[in-house]
């Protein structure tokens, strides 16, 4: 039970890194249908009112990422929101185990769930930034659509098959770390080349005797 709860929490946290409200909607709906358990303190996530709020927020979030200038503005608030959402979905699963104390529940949720969501979100932000530079933002709607699909897929997969959802979360974390590190190294190398070009001494112009 503990292993399944942790893997389910990790999978949903990774999905929060792609879209903040999709995993909350999927988890709330699953809890409402009896397909998922929630910690007593977070049982409100399975209420009709919460599900409606999650659904509205999900639609607004997905539509907003289709607007080229608005997707960058959302990134400034999406990262802390994703970390909070990742911690909440993880706490909702870890806290469902009666033998876990509230201190351990939230400590694990913040470190594991919030950390996974934050890393995946960093990878999505970096990908869109590179797309903006490379394509002038033309490919951003396609990337945003792919991220929305991934969030839905990972959320449903985590609820249906927690082990696979957790494994996907670990792979997503590794992939996002690799993307961020590689692109930052490339950016530093490009900046170093430009700095070297600016400070280079211009070649001397030979004069006719």
């Amino acid at each position: 039970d503990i292993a399944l709860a942790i893997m389910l929490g990790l999978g949903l946290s990774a999905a929060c890194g792609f879209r903040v409200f999709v995993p909350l909607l999927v988890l709330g709906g699953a809890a409402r249908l009896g397909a998922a358990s929630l910690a007593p303190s977070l049982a409100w996530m399975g209420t009709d009112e919460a599900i409606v709020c999650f659904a509205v927020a999900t639609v607004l979030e997905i539509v907003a990422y289709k607007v080229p200038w608005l997707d960058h503005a959302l990134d400034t608030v999406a990262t802390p929101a994703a970390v909070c959402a990742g911690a909440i979905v993880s706490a909702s699963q870890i806290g469902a185990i009666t033998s876990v104390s509230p201190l351990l529940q939230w400590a694990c949720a913040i470190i594991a769930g919030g950390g996974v969501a934050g890393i995946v979100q960093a990878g999505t932000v970096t990908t869109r930034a590179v797309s903006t530079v490379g394509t002038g933002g033309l490919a951003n709607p396609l990337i945003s659509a792919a991220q929305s699909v991934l969030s839905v897929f990972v959320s449903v997969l985590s609820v249906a098959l927690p082990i696979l959802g957790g494994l996907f979360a670990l792979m997503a974390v590794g992939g996002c770390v690799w993307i961020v590190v590689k692109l930052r190294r490339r950016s530093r190398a490009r900046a170093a080349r430009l700095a070297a070009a600016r400070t280079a001494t211009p070649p001397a112009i030979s004069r006719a005797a």
Side-chain angles (χ1 to χ4, degrees):
D1 291 342
I2 295 177
L4 288 177
I6 292 175
M7 297 299 277
L8 175 54
L10 289 178
L12 292 172
S13 298
C16 289
F18 294 114
R19 287 293 176 268
V20 175
F21 293 103
V22 168
L24 297 174
L25 174 61
V26 172
L27 179 60
R32 186 70 177 82
L33 297 174
S37 300
L38 296 172
S41 60
L42 295 171
W44 56 268
M45 295 176 62
T47 61
D48 294 337
E49 294 82 359
I51 293 173
V52 171
C53 291
F54 293 152
V56 173
T58 295
V59 172
L60 293 177
E61 182 183 19
I62 291 176
V63 171
Y65 270 107
K66 300 297 183 182
V67 182
W69 61 269
L70 190 56
D71 59 349
H72 297 293
L74 284 175
D75 284 338
T76 61
V77 297
T79 299
V83 172
C84 292
I88 289 174
V89 294
S90 292
S92 71
Q93 298 308 301
I94 298 174
I97 304 171
T98 57
S99 60
V100 176
S101 66
L103 177 60
L104 182 61
Q105 169 194 1
W106 284 103
C108 293
I110 293 172
I111 295 172
V116 167
I119 292 172
V120 175
Q121 173 65 16
T124 62
V125 171
T126 303
T127 303
R128 278 195 299 272
V130 172
S131 171
T132 300
V133 174
T135 68
L138 295 178
N140 285 18
L142 294 177
I143 293 176
S144 296
Q147 292 170 352
S148 298
V149 171
L150 276 174
S151 184
V152 174
F153 171 74
V154 177
S155 298
V156 175
L157 177 66
S158 299
V159 173
L161 301 169
I163 299 297
L164 291 181
L167 292 176
F168 184 92
L170 297 178
M171 290 188 295
V173 167
C176 288
V177 170
W178 180 81
I179 290 174
V180 172
V181 171
K182 182 176 181 179
L183 292 178
R184 286 185 176 179
R185 286 179 178 175
R186 183 180 299 177
S187 178
R188 287 196 296 265
R190 184 182 297 111
R193 288 195 299 270
L194 292 175
R198 286 194 298 266
T199 58
T201 304
I205 300 176
S206 59
R207 297 181 179 181

